[in-house]
Amino acid sequence: MADSLEDQSLPQQRVTSEYLPVQNSSQSIWQQEAAELAAWNPTSPIPQEADVVIIGAGYAGVATAYHLLKKIDESGGAQKRLSISIFDARGPCSGATGRNGGHLRPDLYGRIPTHMARSGVAAGSEIAAFEIANLRAIEKVIEEENIDCDLKLARVTDVWCNPEAAQRAKANYDVMVNLNLDYMKDVCFNMGEEAEEISGVKGARACASYTAGQLSAYKFIVSLLKSMVDAGRVDAHSHTPVTEILPAKEGGFLVKTPSGTVFARQVVHASNGYVAGLLPEYSRNIIPCKGVCCHIDVPQGAQRPPSLPGSYINRASDHMLSYLISRDNGSIVVGGKASMLTSRREQWYHNVDDGADIDGAKGFYSDYMQKTYRGWEESQAEITKIWTGVMGYSFDTNPHVGVVPGRPGQFILAGFNGHGMPVIFLAAQGLAALILSDETLTCHDVGVPRLFQTSRARIEVAQQYAEEDGDILGTGRAFSQATHSC
Ligand SMILES: Cc1cc2nc3c(=O)[nH]c(=O)nc-3n(C[C@H](O)[C@H](O)[C@H](O)COP(=O)(O)OP(=O)(O)OC[C@H]3O[C@@H](n4cnc5c(N)ncnc54)[C@H](O)[C@@H]3O)c2cc1C
């Protein structure tokens, strides 16, 4: 049963510039490579009304629309058709989804022991199983919808260079194996000197590999949206920010944009790090934080170094993590480097300017391949593109999914903590089921991990913590909870 806040305690839903996407964002390699899709900017007159208004045309918003339509089709007429309108403040998929690292990595044992310690084995393993199922569901939809988005399944190698961190990783691995979790059979763990040999990462002290994926999330999501718009089943509006939501007298909502007002029966907040703009009660739960990514390649004519077999999570030291995918053409997409960002906090914390670089990032990644991988020393590998993007860091590291407490008819799917790719598709499927239900169901009822359920308690814990300690990432404790891992 969805819980509720006292109505009078709910703040007004009017966005301010600190929560609106900037208009001069940087361009990612994914946007550059898909010029035809990038030129597509759906617009049409603002409808007078819609059954469902979705705010945000990224992975979360588009996947929600997709699952709503799918569920209606599968109901064989039992579920009435809905009019669905999607609004985005910029072009489709111009947020985190269009500028991420392309890594689709289920978390099998990284954060899972922490979840288990906090919430029990069942709750933790539920998340791992959900992320694996998400990978398979994405594979299926891409095949069914015949989407060209460079999906590749390959093994990811997690690497630890710090000897103590390597020991901790091994201890976590042992815990998970001893729980007899079936999916752990896919994980190979190696310690000591063979870790460097196996991973190819200089100084590796432990490594683990398991099945993961990579893709252009930009191509995936824009193609999915385009097919729904072309079929006339979804109405999409680029460059149309939602600026205010008011309750309508007859029930439902007045959703305001600079181009006009829409009457909506239900509203879905899929605006990621910006979500607190229209849902201010989440301002301590979901913080807009910038990440950095770059594309690295060897210059034409230079000898290609050995190609890397799949993807990587490299932990050079504690709080210094880079995620990396190796593409079919041998080029690399890499991002992360949390420790560097901590010292330039104002450039990324509570910052939505994805048009601006973060100082020091370019320098760090300019010789990243040479200093990190065996055999790349003489490669002349160089950055060909660098960009930033805005994530929604979640106070307790978990996404918020469900009916917004105290605001029946409004739903949230946000706060993926920089780890949305292996979560959002099936979370959106669950949210679609909630939207079509009488709103009394919970995440658990619709196949979404119970820790993802948004609730009054989760909102209030973050608010109390902020009052005591200033802000959610201000201390080591909170920071270690909130750093993302892709
Ligand atoms: C640099 C970077 C690298 C990443 N790498 C990875 C990775 O390798 N693997 C992984 O799992 N995750 C990664 N992530 C995280 C992942 O990309 C996100 O979790 C995911 O894309 C979130 O999808 P979303 O739809 O919630 O958000 P978004 O894609 O950001 O979509 C939200 C949309 O809402 C729109 N919007 C905001 N406010 C309004 C408004 N008021 N009105 C209308 N529209 C609005 C925005 O313009 C935006 O298009 C990365 C993120 C970044 C930034």
Side-chain angles (χ1 to χ4, degrees), residues 9-28:
S9 71
L10 291 172
Q12 284 190 332
Q13 297 185 268
R14 189 181 304 137
V15 78
T16 55
S17 61
E18 66 175 320
Y19 287 110
L20 270 180
V22 301
Q23 291 304 320
N24 61 338
S25 54
S26 52
Q27 188 196 41
S28 70

Side-chain angles (χ1 to χ4, degrees), residues 56 58-60 88-89 96-97 100-101 103 242 272 274 323 389 418 420-422 486:
Y59 189 175
D88 201 286
T97 309
N100 70 22
H103 207 183
V242 172
N272 182 25
Y274 311 91
Y323 44 87
M421 297 267 270
C486 285

Side-chain angles (χ1 to χ4, degrees), residues 138-427:
I138 288 179
E139 206 183 349
K140 187 159 171 255
V141 67
I142 286 172
E143 196 187 323
E144 278 173 4
E145 304 290 329
N146 198 16
I147 297 175
D148 166 19
C149 59
D150 312 330
L151 174 70
K152 183 166 98 179
L153 293 197
R155 292 191 71 83
V156 56
T157 306
D158 272 20
V159 176
W160 293 264
C161 293
N162 172 342
E164 291 83 46
Q167 291 294 347
R168 285 197 299 273
K170 176 69 166 65
N172 273 346
Y173 168 77
D174 289 342
V175 167
M176 302 300 287
V177 169
N178 288 334
L179 287 170
N180 285 325
L181 297 166
D182 201 44
Y183 62 75
M184 287 303 289
K185 290 182 189 138
D186 187 38
V187 183
C188 301
F189 199 99
N190 296 89
M191 283 288 282
E193 282 174 14
E194 64 180 3
E196 177 168 333
E197 195 71 41
I198 290 167
S199 67
V201 174
K202 299 178 201 176
R205 289 289 164 270
C207 66
S209 75
Y210 49 93
T211 307
Q214 54 175 270
L215 79 167
S216 165
Y218 182 71
K219 280 189 182 172
F220 171 39
I221 293 302
V222 181
S223 303
L224 200 57
L225 176 62
K226 195 163 184 312
S227 67
M228 294 187 286
V229 171
D230 288 349
R233 301 200 66 190
V234 162
D235 170 46
H237 301 267
S238 314
H239 302 289
T240 313
V242 172
T243 51
E244 190 172 4
I245 300 174
L246 295 165
K249 281 200 199 84
E250 61 273 40
F253 308 95
L254 298 175
V255 176
K256 297 200 162 196
T257 78
S259 315
T261 299
V262 190
F263 168 75
R265 288 176 188 84
Q266 291 173 307
V267 174
V268 177
H269 295 265
S271 51
N272 182 25
Y274 311 91
V275 77
L278 289 162
L279 289 174
E281 60 268 39
Y282 284 86
S283 64
R284 295 299 181 174
N285 286 266
I286 300 176
I287 307 279
C289 291
K290 273 167 66 179
V292 66
C293 252
C294 54
H295 179 249
I296 294 179
D297 207 352
V298 296
Q300 256 188 345
Q303 188 163 5
R304 281 224 164 258
S307 59
L308 302 176
S311 57
Y312 287 80
I313 296 286
N314 288 331
R315 296 172 185 82
S317 62
D318 285 352
H319 299 308
M320 187 165 156
L321 177 150
S322 290
Y323 44 87
L324 176 150
I325 63 168
S326 164
R327 307 179 74 205
D328 281 347
N329 63 6
S331 70
I332 301 294
V333 174
V334 60
K337 184 70 170 83
S339 70
M340 175 181 69
L341 304 183
T342 56
S343 63
R344 295 179 173 84
R345 188 183 158 83
E346 73 293 346
Q347 293 187 28
W348 63 274
Y349 176 77
H350 215 309
N351 186 324
V352 294
D353 187 1
D354 54 11
D357 281 349
I358 295 169
D359 291 346
K362 197 167 186 175
F364 177 78
Y365 284 114
S366 61
D367 59 350
Y368 182 77
M369 296 307 291
Q370 288 88 331
K371 66 191 174 199
T372 307
Y373 286 92
R374 281 182 170 192
W376 282 68
E377 294 82 356
E378 309 301 325
S379 66
Q380 300 175 47
E382 60 188 8
I383 295 176
T384 66
K385 202 156 193 60
I386 186 160
W387 63 93
T388 55
V390 177
M391 296 169 279
Y393 269 20
S394 165
F395 173 75
D396 58 14
T397 73
N398 287 315
H400 284 261
V401 184
V403 183
V404 176
R407 299 195 195 268
Q410 297 193 45
F411 300 82
I412 183 169
L413 181 60
F416 297 99
N417 217 44
H419 185 67
M421 297 267 270
V423 172
I424 296 176
F425 194 69
L426 289 183

